[in-house]
Amino acid sequence: MSRPNLARRVADAAEIALTTRKYVTFIDVVTGLRWLHSRHVDTWRQGRSATLGELAAVDDARLLDAAAALREWALSKGLRPMETPYLSGSRERRELRFTSSGEQGSFRVHWISPALSDARVKQLAERQSKAPDLVVVAPLETWTCATCGDTGPYLIMEDDRPHCLTCADLDHLVFLPSGNAALSRRAKKESGLSAVVVQYNRRRKVYQRQGVLVEEAALARAEEQCLGDEEVRLRRRDRDRERRAEQDLDYQTRMAAEILRLFPACPPGRADSIAAHAALRGSGRVGRTAAAKALDENAITLAVVASIRHLDTGYDRMLMDGVPRMEARDRIRPAIEAKLSELRGRREP
């Protein structure tokens, strides 16, 4: 990839993050470039990789080029630099490294929009400066503690090696499963020591939160607090649900309008259907990505392609017949391109 092409792609990824959150990080760029997946970033933040570069699809030199391109773009946009610490979620809270050698500061800079208020910038800085939660992994495979040679339901990384909770002095904590946000939040606040429990989801290829480990007495106090204001929280939850539904409807309407702009021959009803499916909250589909929320043309096109794949080709039947997924996608590529041209209002000669 040439430097001008890299600069353009970095700018595209950065614009999406800036539109969504009013600030841009190096992590936003490399995940936007598809050099890293969010699961790789999770692994690195957990302290299970010496550097982020070890997990990337490109070498350290290319990461440095991307950081330089991001800096050049950010300065041209008048963004403010804010260097931010990156600490691991392992017990030693070591400083995370992006590459194996060289200066690391350029990777840690968060570029802040001038439109962001001073109060919001201060809040962001305070949040970023806090040490991350300790992260405990519920492993899917058999593992062995590096200290005692035993095993257990959870492991935590120390010195780049897995340790059981007993050896890590965390075995007095009790597990609180996810599902009650207020109880989890209060239990963590009451607990002098706590850790987030995650597990790798092979289907979605991400680490997903399973719950928290907290002190037993802290959990009891949190439960008492939740019982005391349960009715108030229920009313607030109902209001929040209505607000999210309104936000989702507005987003789906804007996405459908963008689909019709890019594909003017698409029937309005189908555009609405594509937007509703792709943007479904909690689905993990392309419509929930930052790029789609910024109405990025490529992300919107991917949502239309997904609809065509399942509704206008024999893709699903191929999968049922045992055709490998990538082979099936290769077979239907001409049909997808023809349908995209049709929806754009162009007819194949």
Side-chain angles (χ1 to χ4, degrees):
M1 189 190 307
S2 65
R3 285 184 179 275
N5 191 28
L6 175 62
R8 178 184 58 77
R9 291 189 60 199
V10 166
D12 289 344
E15 285 282 4
I16 290 170
L18 185 64
T19 301
T20 306
R21 296 187 309 191
K22 305 302 181 187
Y23 68 93
V24 185
T25 72
F26 176 73
I27 299 295
D28 295 328
V29 169
V30 290
T31 53
L33 292 173
R34 308 287 180 90
W35 290 354
L36 284 160
H37 193 277
S38 59
R39 65 178 180 276
H40 299 135
V41 179
D42 290 341
T43 297
W44 174 66
R45 288 188 181 277
Q46 292 166 16
R48 305 179 72 188
S49 174
T51 70
L52 188 63
E54 289 182 0
L55 306 172
V58 296
D59 58 22
D60 285 358
R62 212 57 177 147
L63 295 178
L64 283 166
D65 288 343
L70 172 60
R71 175 182 174 81
E72 184 176 343
W73 170 86
L75 291 176
S76 72
K77 299 281 288 188
L79 305 187
R80 294 179 289 172
M82 182 178 73
E83 187 162 337
T84 303
Y86 277 80
L87 303 177
S88 75
S90 55
R91 190 64 179 270
E92 66 270 27
R93 306 289 199 189
R94 63 179 171 83
E95 190 174 82
L96 292 170
R97 293 186 63 80
F98 291 78
T99 57
S100 57
S101 62
E103 189 269 332
Q104 306 288 303
S106 60
F107 300 111
R108 298 194 183 102
V109 176
H110 289 193
W111 295 97
I112 313 297
S113 168
L116 208 61
S117 68
D118 290 340
R120 182 73 179 88
V121 172
K122 182 180 179 181
Q123 183 184 51
L124 179 64
E126 289 175 351
R127 186 171 75 239
Q128 296 291 344
S129 64
K130 289 181 180 178
D133 289 325
L134 285 175
V135 177
V136 166
V137 179
L140 299 174
E141 308 291 344
T142 302
W143 69 281
T144 303
C145 176
T147 300
C148 67
D150 203 350
T151 188
Y154 308 113
L155 66 85
I156 187 170
M157 299 299 293
E158 289 185 6
D159 300 321
D160 297 329
R161 297 186 299 169
H163 293 74
C164 67
L165 297 193
T166 300
C167 293
D169 295 325
L170 297 172
D171 56 335
H172 64 292
L173 303 181
V174 297
F175 178 64
L176 172 61
S178 298
N180 188 326
L183 180 60
S184 296
R185 183 177 63 253
R186 287 170 170 172
K188 277 186 62 182
K189 183 178 179 180
E190 291 288 332
S191 188
L193 180 63
S194 64
V196 174
V197 178
V198 300
Q199 188 173 61
Y200 187 66
N201 184 316
R202 287 196 178 103
R203 183 178 64 83
R204 300 187 66 179
K205 297 182 179 180
V206 294
Y207 281 93
Q208 293 184 314
R209 183 172 176 144
Q210 303 297 304
V212 292
L213 293 171
V214 294
E215 295 166 345
E216 191 167 5
L219 177 56
R221 290 193 294 271
E223 288 173 335
E224 290 180 6
Q225 293 170 11
C226 286
L227 287 173
D229 63 358
E230 184 175 6
E231 185 176 346
V232 173
R233 287 186 295 105
L234 284 174
R235 289 200 299 270
R236 184 184 302 126
R237 192 177 304 138
D238 288 339
R239 290 197 301 271
D240 289 344
R241 188 181 299 113
E242 292 174 2
R243 175 178 52 80
R244 287 193 296 269
E246 291 175 359
Q247 291 173 343
D248 288 348
L249 183 59
D250 175 69
Y251 171 42
Q252 290 170 19
T253 300
R254 289 187 291 110
M255 180 185 284
E258 184 65 8
I259 291 172
L260 290 174
R261 186 185 73 80
L262 296 172
F263 302 93
C266 181
R270 179 156 188 183
D272 292 338
S273 177
I274 292 172
H277 179 79
L280 181 65
R281 186 181 291 270
S283 66
R285 296 172 186 142
V286 66
R288 301 307 304 179
T289 64
K293 291 176 182 178
L295 299 182
D296 174 71
E297 181 174 335
N298 183 58
I300 299 299
T301 301
L302 288 176
V304 175
V305 167
S307 173
I308 294 171
R309 182 185 300 128
H310 294 291
L311 299 181
D312 300 290
T313 73
Y315 179 73
D316 290 351
R317 173 51 57 188
M318 292 180 195
L319 295 186
M320 289 296 292
D321 290 341
V323 177
R325 183 168 60 90
M326 297 313 296
E327 180 182 337
R329 291 196 175 197
D330 286 340
R331 291 186 189 180
I332 65 172
R333 187 169 288 115
I336 287 179
E337 291 300 329
K339 189 65 177 180
L340 286 174
S341 293
E342 177 187 327
L343 295 182
R344 290 187 178 106
R346 306 170 191 159
R347 293 290 179 180
E348 294 294 327

